[in-house]
Amino acid sequence: MRTLTRASVLQVRDLSFAYPSEPALLSDWSVSIAAGVSLLHGDTGSGKSTVLRLFAGSQRAAAGRLTLAGVGLDTDPVAYRRAVFWCDPASDAYASITARDCTAALRAGDDGFDAAGWQALVDAFALTPHLDKPMHMLSTGSKRKVGLAAALASGRALTLLDEPTGGLDAASVKALMRALASRSGHTDRAIVVASAERLDSIPLAGVIELPPR
């Protein structure tokens, strides 16, 4: 696996977080996320999804500072969140609308969204027959592919992917890995992939290991 040296896109400083009555997940934790593709690695239950929510600004930390492309979450939370693509796989927020409308909602305000790239991913994921179906009618894998296609076409500064291979068929996993590899050369945008598996086929900007609890 090759690790790339790139400029930092997200700076995390002295971040602390704990759920009530549980040991701290993070305590004065600092990390820099570089442009390109980075792996957030940890076993199931290690807190990867929570860390992504903290990065997205959708989960409030007890302490610390996050700065994305020069914008602080504490000083301008609206601009910070606007620079993040985050589609929580556990959310049912889009259950009642079609996959096409879900995509439109996810890409809203994303001036750098790559429509041609999105269409290529739709084709690679065999999503076309499902675009006009309500999300609640789709399989777990197809729902995930809707989010992934929008995420990988995003032009936002930071894209967060939580266990992206979950529920995917073999052909879609290969398409996902090709798409990630092709985006590893980004010089101004970062993709963070949270996974219990290593990404040995992709040139990585960095590997983030969660601190032991």
Side-chain angles (χ1 to χ4, degrees), residues 108-195:
D110 187 350
D111 295 336
F113 189 84
D114 180 1
W118 172 80
Q119 185 61 60
L121 288 159
V122 166
D123 294 341
F125 289 152
L127 270 176
T128 301
H130 306 294
L131 289 178
D132 295 308
K133 297 177 183 177
M135 290 288 285
H136 70 82
M137 292 182 62
L138 302 186
S139 67
T140 298
S142 291
K143 290 176 187 176
R144 192 171 294 262
K145 287 188 279 188
V146 171
L148 286 172
L152 293 168
S154 175
R156 301 182 195 274
L158 178 64
T159 295
L160 304 171
L161 304 179
D162 194 3
E163 298 288 359
T165 60
L168 297 191
D169 56 275
S172 293
V173 170
K174 289 181 180 179
L176 169 64
M177 294 304 160
R178 286 195 301 270
L180 286 172
S182 72
R183 287 155 178 79
S184 67
H186 282 330
T187 58
D188 60 348
R189 300 197 298 276
I191 298 174
V192 177
V193 180
S195 176

Side-chain angles (χ1 to χ4, degrees), residues 94 96-107 131-133 135 146:
Y94 304 106
S96 63
I97 62 176
T98 66
R100 193 183 301 276
D101 289 340
C102 174
T103 301
L106 291 171
R107 66 173 288 186
L131 289 178
D132 295 308
K133 297 177 183 177
M135 290 288 285
V146 171

Side-chain angles (χ1 to χ4, degrees), residues 54 56-57 59 65-68 71-77 80-81:
L54 290 166
Q59 179 81 58
R65 178 175 175 81
L66 291 92
T67 305
L68 174 58
V71 178
L73 176 60
D74 56 337
T75 57
D76 195 344
Y80 179 100
R81 294 185 181 107

